[in-house]
Amino acid sequence: MTYPRTHAAGRRAGTTPSRDGGRPAGGVRPQVPPRRGPGGRRVLAALLVLGLLASVLPWWLDTPAGSLRTTAATLTAAGRITGLVAGYLLLVQVLMMSRLPLLERWIGGEQIARWHRDLGATLLVAVLAHAALILVGYADLEDKPILTEAGVLLRDHEDMVSAFAAAGVLVLIGFTSVRAIRRVLPYELWHALHLASYLALLLGFGHQFSNGAQLFRPGPVRTLWIAMYVVVVAALVWGRVVAPLAFNLRHRLRVADVVAESPDTISIYLTGDRLGELDLLGGQFFRWRFLTRGCWWQSHPFSVSAAANDRWLRLTVKVVGAYTRDLRDLDPGTPVWAEGPSGTFTAAHRTGDRALLIAGGSGITPIRAVLEELPPGSALIYRARTPADVLLHRELDWLAQARDVRIWYVIGSRNDPGPRQVLTPDGLRGLVPDVVRRDVYLCGPPGLVAQSLAVLRQAGVPRRQVHLATFEL
Ligand SMILES: Cc1cc2nc3c(=O)[nH]c(=O)nc-3n(C[C@H](O)[C@H](O)[C@H](O)COP(=O)(O)OP(=O)(O)OC[C@H]3O[C@@H](n4cnc5c(N)ncnc54)[C@H](O)[C@@H]3O)c2cc1C
């Protein structure tokens, strides 16, 4: 088997195939994929807003004009609206995390994660507002102190205890998602806490139907609400169980080799069955689970670092922590469980036929794969601190020739005059005069991404032409 070797020393001499100057030698040559257009995100955003309006509609239809004369009535009405909104948003949040293949390819895992984060804050506000407004409204109506009313609600209303528990779970998830707190928690702990949102869905279910003024009566509204639950649970089962099972039974991926690209970066080559049938674009990522004793319980996202072919798949991994350190010792033959592909950071999502790609550090991995599928004539700016940090350089040299790519290696610290000059509007225009008409693919450390976005804005590149891979879920 032949696949590209970019570093002279493979970790295990004898297990890797011959070097061929970085030229992928799989059986299928990468083609330029047809453009897909940005429609998906807008359609989904419109559907979500429509769903939100529809979820509040039952309250509107149920509430006669002039019925909100007292403070108590106004407060409880606001409580009911926020309750309906919270119930709907919780379903949307779980749907977004269902990993439904359609959503993962249409919207992309990273974009879904951004929406999920933003919506999470709104959901938390809606839940807290719902609880507070209903409590204060009922206390006012029955002329009782708030704490007494809370006791009455918990004691006399069916499913109220589980509703309070669901609210508690959501507050905990919201709290641990605050950036500063999330940063100090181990990823796996944060993720496990986050999975408790399924518990919130379960705990809140009964409350909505036994206490919800618009939902406890049998009728079309109640039926529709239950149908939404059924759809979300079906999406979860499909995205988390059925689709991954079908994918892994079909392709049976396993490690072919691990190759050192630099002192702290490795490439993992995988083989499997029917790789030529993979519906995969360069720049997309999978969540990988390497089935060894130490690694099987965690899945980590890594992009493919070369376009699909019918012989092998490759991911290129920078060693940053305990898990990535363990990947250096993977043995050939190790079975791999993959979920994906996901993402819209691909040549198919370009808006035109010329592109500028900006990569920093391990951000070169998806960029390298996208480059292979973009039409000829792209330009690449590759930022690295030292020449030793430049990855996959032989393959990039090959792409420069084979696909007419102009490449600038911008080496040095961010305060060195060269890198500082390049990342300015004039610097960019100097290298790529038609930058405003190009798609820009950007992947690298947060500092480089933020600086590049600011410079692209100043240079007048429209936001819809900018494609971002942030390595954040
Ligand atoms: C869509 C996407 C594509 C990526 N592609 C690549 C790639 O091609 N090459 C590459 O080197 N790196 C890539 N990464 C980053 C890579 O996933 C992390 O560096 C890796 O998971 C760190 O694991 P660790 O335990 O060794 O390090 P840690 O020190 O434990 O983690 C470092 C950081 O990585 C993130 N992280 C850790 N575990 C996970 C997880 N299970 N899921 C999601 N994020 C996690 C967290 O933000 C954490 O703070 C990608 C990330 C994402 C989200």
Side-chain angles (χ1 to χ4, degrees), residues 187-188 299-303 316-318 321 323-324 365 471-472:
Y187 181 87
E188 296 306 323
S299 77
H300 285 241
F302 297 105
S303 316
T316 299
V317 175
K318 187 174 166 74
Y323 185 85
T324 41
T365 53
F471 282 2
E472 249 185 72

Side-chain angles (χ1 to χ4, degrees), residues 67-298:
S67 62
L68 304 181
R69 283 208 199 92
T70 64
T71 310
T74 309
L75 288 171
T76 39
R80 284 186 183 134
I81 293 173
T82 46
L84 288 166
V85 169
Y88 172 74
L89 290 184
L90 181 58
L91 283 171
V92 172
Q93 286 288 75
V94 176
L95 179 67
M96 282 202 216
M97 288 296 109
S98 65
R99 299 195 185 158
L100 204 58
L102 182 75
L103 293 181
E104 295 285 319
R105 286 155 192 259
W106 205 24
I107 314 294
E110 287 177 292
Q111 181 62 38
I112 291 176
R114 282 194 282 274
W115 283 0
H116 183 76
R117 238 183 339 261
D118 296 345
L119 217 55
T122 316
L123 169 61
L124 194 59
V125 170
V127 166
L128 293 176
H130 168 62
L133 288 163
I134 289 286
L135 192 58
V136 177
Y138 276 34
D140 192 49
L141 192 69
E142 293 175 13
D143 201 18
K144 288 194 180 115
I146 287 176
L147 278 182
T148 314
E149 183 59 38
V152 171
L153 284 177
L154 280 170
R155 196 187 57 227
D156 295 351
H157 287 70
E158 199 187 335
D159 294 321
M160 198 56 91
V161 175
S162 57
F164 266 71
V169 168
L170 289 176
V171 169
L172 179 69
I173 293 174
F175 178 70
T176 53
S177 297
V178 174
R179 256 179 203 278
I181 297 169
R182 184 181 165 175
R183 229 175 279 137
V184 295
L185 287 179
Y187 181 87
E188 296 306 323
L189 174 62
W190 172 83
H191 188 244
L193 285 172
H194 221 74
L195 290 182
S197 55
Y198 299 136
L199 188 66
L201 194 67
L202 204 67
L203 288 169
F205 182 82
H207 163 68
Q208 296 177 52
F209 296 101
S210 47
N211 310 128
Q214 275 70 46
L215 299 177
F216 80 92
R217 265 175 281 128
V221 173
R222 184 180 163 106
T223 307
L224 196 71
W225 206 264
I226 291 176
M228 290 201 302
Y229 263 85
V230 172
V231 167
V232 169
V233 171
L236 260 183
V237 173
W238 187 265
R240 296 264 178 174
V241 183
V242 179
L245 200 62
F247 179 92
N248 286 283
L249 288 177
R250 185 171 182 75
H251 296 295
R252 296 182 185 278
L253 299 175
R254 52 205 174 270
V255 173
D257 202 1
V258 179
V259 176
E261 300 287 0
S262 79
D264 64 357
T265 306
I266 52 169
S267 279
I268 303 172
Y269 288 87
L270 308 174
T271 54
D273 301 343
R274 299 174 174 157
L275 293 188
E277 293 168 22
L278 270 176
D279 184 11
L280 168 68
L281 290 165
Q284 289 186 313
F285 70 92
F286 287 84
R287 295 167 174 93
W288 306 95
R289 203 179 282 273
F290 295 92
L291 303 181
T292 65
R293 197 195 302 207
C295 293
W296 66 269
W297 59 282
Q298 292 183 35

